[in-house]
Amino acid sequence: MTRAASSDPFQPAGSAALVGRALEQLGRVILGKPGPLRLAVACLLARGHLLIEDQPGVGKTTLAHALARTLGLSFRRVQFTSDLLPADLLGVSIWDAAAGAFRYHPGPIFAEVLLADEINRAPPRTQSALLEAMEERQVSEGGVTRPLPDPFFVIATQNPAAFVGTSPLPEAQLDRFLLTVTLGYPDPRAERTLLETGGRGEVVRDLPAVLDAAALRAAQRDVDAVHAAPALLDYLQRLARATREHPALAVGLSPRALLALLAASRAWAFLAGRRMALPEDVQAVFPALTAHRLPPRDPALRVADITARILAETPIP
């Protein structure tokens, strides 16, 4: 932990080694999903928030809890329901008669990792209560602004929109999520392991912490130090322009989304042990970054198919 927390701007033998160990441990909990696990860790290294979309029972909540345990961060889980109020999440000020003043009782949002489970089962008002927290890393209540912990990550899971009792997330909130991952069904080998062990191969609550908050912040600084050459920035702009001009898309990538793409690409390069981000890093994170940001004009079209064509047709400088 000591080497990972030093001021060296890039330590492949320090913070990157610790992050590699964290990925190995996560891989023993979520079997057969190295791609989504790598995207999840890259999202956290880039100081983003993660949206996990899938049907119940494929490991969404387990992944969120395992991430918090492995990273050594405080963890709170909130089950989003149709009657959940913003105060249930943010906290509330209650009159203290003895003190003659209002006393603030913080909500579960004051955790380093917040799992918003089945976020699209809550009404839009409660979903929107997360906006300030996700963007500004602070909470305003009763005229007082309170900072959130550093690091602060929101990991939200949502069920498919066709499920009963779900409400779509507002576009402004979707844009606050850096990446979207989908776990899907396990492959036959991983599923067989689950059957043979009864799902008890690695108990999440017993996972040791591989990092802590200080080591994670050091790794994030290392990610910030990953070089992005002018040619790579040209490539990012070409991709953004391609999304904005594509006839099948209702909107393209915003400048904020473009900054998010750069941050995620740097994190992916860091996980590969490189000091410089390359076009293949951009291509690796591009589908997960655009999945929730680029609505197609025709609902019958798949965003993944459109973005795959954009990647194939956009030249690399």
Side-chain angles (χ1 to χ4, degrees), residues 49-75:
H49 304 290
L50 183 67
L51 183 62
I52 308 176
E53 293 183 317
D54 225 318
Q55 62 179 324
V58 296
K60 302 189 300 296
T61 304
T62 301
L63 170 57
H65 197 182
L67 275 170
R69 294 287 301 180
T70 299
L71 297 177
L73 304 176
S74 62
F75 175 77

Side-chain angles (χ1 to χ4, degrees), residues 287-312:
L289 183 130
T290 57
H292 57 287
R293 287 185 169 93
L294 301 180
R297 295 184 185 277
D298 183 355
L301 297 177
R302 296 176 66 246
V303 176
D305 296 335
I306 299 173
T307 54
R309 289 199 298 271
I310 289 175
L311 286 175

Side-chain angles (χ1 to χ4, degrees), residues 22-45:
L23 274 170
E24 291 177 4
Q25 177 165 287
L26 290 169
R28 296 194 298 269
V29 177
I30 308 296
L31 303 177
K33 299 296 177 182
L37 286 178
R38 199 174 186 87
L39 284 170
V41 172
C43 180
L44 302 186
L45 289 173

